Amino acid sequence: MRPAKGLNRREVLAAVPAVAAAQAIKLGGPSQPLPVAVASSNGLRAVAEAVKRMEQGLPPVDAAVAGVSLLEADPDDVTVGYGGLPNEEGVVQLDAAVMDGTTMRAGAVAALEGIKHPSQVALAVMRRTTRVLLVGEGAKKFARAHGFTEENLLTERARKIWLYWKENAAPSDDWLPDPKELEDPDIRWFVERFGDAYFRPQGTIHLSAVDGQGRVGCCTTTSGLFFKLPGRVGDSPLIGCGLYCDAEVGSAGATGHGESNIIVVGAHTVVEFMRQGKSPEEACLSTLQRVVRNTREVYLKDAQGRPKNNLTLYAVNVRGEVGAASLWSGSQFAVCRTGQAPELRACAYLFQRPQRTP
Ligand code: GLY
């Protein structure tokens, strides 16, 4: 963009938020108390932190990053940041993205190794470059240039879980499982949470935030599909898929089977459905219907033709209404609204998950 006469590029960028915020305010005041944050079920602490930061005046995108950073630093969340489960070669590769719905700027990193807070690097990509997405070695060089320190993200627990997967993945390869492995507290911890049969889920945290000043922002961060192909990038760092927001409408994001979400450009689709007048929950459900229609490969479907994998979508509109929906029953989402304690709520869903036989 050529700056208007008399304005340099920095002044043009700085001028954008005021214009967008003014447009959003014209749409009418909030019908629910703001600020509000919505996130995946692992984000209970994150939504509380995001709301606290917005109450202190931080823009929603920065508040979202502050919230998810708690999980990125937590070794007990094996789906995000430090302690995240590695790829099939035992290397932790992280994806993250941020978007500011007021400026319509975004930043993202993918397949980033050795940096604990990919969400903060994504924020730096948004603020400190003219680009949107950096990957792999380039993303790491950029992070180091901005003072992020490199560290080993593979915790002992994550290494043991990866080895357990590797040894049990194929009966005819060269890796032999230790019969005592299932007695290891770290392996038992993993199997209790994620099961032994459904062995490759993908966790993630998404957080969408709306403040009381017409500003909207979001962030998604993940270690991606457990034991993924090296270099595999899911939906999380792809703007429009893992997250999207627009201060005229609201914000949305996703966790779950990334490939299913990429095909429907899920988060953008949710925001567009809300623009057409759907509630956040209706917008999430309509987008999931598209996922069902677009799931064509036999290996992705169960005997009744339904997607085998799960996908959950989260949304909030500028009036502060929230909603979330999953393909399969049993998921929850986290919400925090100013003046209220953070809480988990049940997601709407398309299909009832069959009861497990004991
Ligand atoms: N939704 C996270 C992933 O597929 O990597």
Side-chain angles (χ1 to χ4, degrees):
M1 172 172 69
R2 183 186 289 276
K5 203 165 178 230
L7 283 181
N8 65 31
R9 191 176 68 157
R10 190 162 302 189
E11 288 162 338
V12 169
L13 287 173
V16 171
V19 173
Q23 282 166 352
I25 288 159
K26 267 192 244 151
L27 295 173
S31 59
Q32 302 274 330
L34 294 172
V36 66
V38 59
S40 39
S41 62
N42 53 350
L44 207 54
R45 281 187 294 147
V47 286
E49 181 70 19
V51 167
K52 188 178 92 186
R53 298 297 189 104
M54 287 188 284
E55 286 168 345
Q56 291 165 352
L58 213 60
V61 65
D62 297 80
V65 170
V68 303
S69 289
L70 298 177
L71 280 296
E72 287 177 333
D74 181 355
D76 283 340
D77 191 325
V78 295
T79 72
V80 173
Y82 175 66
L85 287 176
N87 67 18
E88 69 176 21
E89 292 177 350
V91 177
V92 180
Q93 290 189 325
L94 303 176
D95 302 334
V98 298
M99 185 162 179
D100 181 336
T102 311
T103 60
M104 298 310 278
R105 292 175 76 193
V109 289
L112 174 63
E113 295 176 13
I115 308 287
K116 187 190 274 183
H117 288 296
S119 66
Q120 296 174 15
V121 184
L123 196 62
V125 171
M126 182 180 92
R127 293 251 164 82
R128 304 295 295 274
T129 78
T130 55
R131 304 296 161 198
V132 170
L133 174 60
L134 299 180
V135 305
E137 206 42 46
K140 196 201 292 197
K141 282 183 185 160
F142 171 81
R144 281 206 304 255
H146 282 271
F148 290 88
T149 45
E150 213 177 326
E151 56 194 298
N152 178 19
L153 303 182
L154 187 69
T155 57
E156 257 312 274
R157 172 184 277 165
R159 185 194 63 76
K160 283 195 255 178
I161 295 166
W162 164 75
L163 191 64
Y164 175 69
W165 167 78
K166 196 162 180 60
E167 289 171 346
N168 289 282
S172 56
D173 66 14
D174 296 346
W175 296 74
L176 278 181
D178 180 345
K180 287 214 176 69
E181 249 171 359
L182 267 173
E183 291 164 25
D184 186 308
D186 286 328
I187 304 295
R188 284 219 312 272
W189 180 92
F190 176 75
V191 170
E192 272 161 26
R193 273 162 189 76
F194 296 99
D196 216 359
Y198 184 46
F199 204 49
R200 293 184 64 207
Q202 54 273 295
T204 295
I205 180 165
H206 167 74
L207 195 151
S208 277
V210 176
D211 70 5
Q213 304 175 46
R215 299 183 297 185
V216 173
C218 54
C219 175
T220 304
T221 177
T222 188
S223 47
L225 177 70
F226 295 0
F227 323 122
K228 59 196 174 185
L229 282 172
R232 177 265 188 190
V233 172
D235 57 329
S236 304
L238 305 183
I239 306 303
C241 301
L243 74 171
Y244 192 77
C245 61
D246 180 336
E248 292 182 1
V249 180
S251 179
T255 63
H257 190 249
E259 284 73 10
S260 301
N261 187 33
I262 290 169
I263 296 304
V264 300
V265 198
H268 181 263
T269 302
V270 172
V271 170
E272 291 311 305
F273 277 138
M274 290 198 291
R275 194 190 302 277
Q276 290 166 17
K278 287 188 192 291
S279 72
E281 184 179 293
E282 288 166 347
C284 294
L285 285 167
S286 297
T287 304
L288 291 171
Q289 297 281 11
R290 283 201 186 171
V291 173
V292 176
R293 285 202 300 279
N294 291 349
T295 301
R296 313 260 165 97
E297 300 292 335
V298 172
Y299 73 90
L300 288 172
K301 299 198 275 195
D302 70 5
Q304 278 99 58
R306 302 169 299 187
K308 279 196 259 188
N309 296 295
N310 204 5
L311 177 68
T312 304
L313 298 168
Y314 314 86
V316 55
N317 64 23
V318 286
R319 291 190 300 277
E321 296 160 335
V322 301
S326 289
L327 285 170
W328 290 95
S329 63
S331 299
Q332 294 182 305
F333 68 109
V335 184
C336 187
R337 193 178 290 288
T338 190
Q340 297 175 16
E343 60 172 354
L344 287 177
R345 294 188 193 169
C347 296
Y349 60 88
L350 293 183
F351 305 119
Q352 177 75 45
R353 202 182 277 285
Q355 296 292 329
R356 282 212 185 118
T357 43

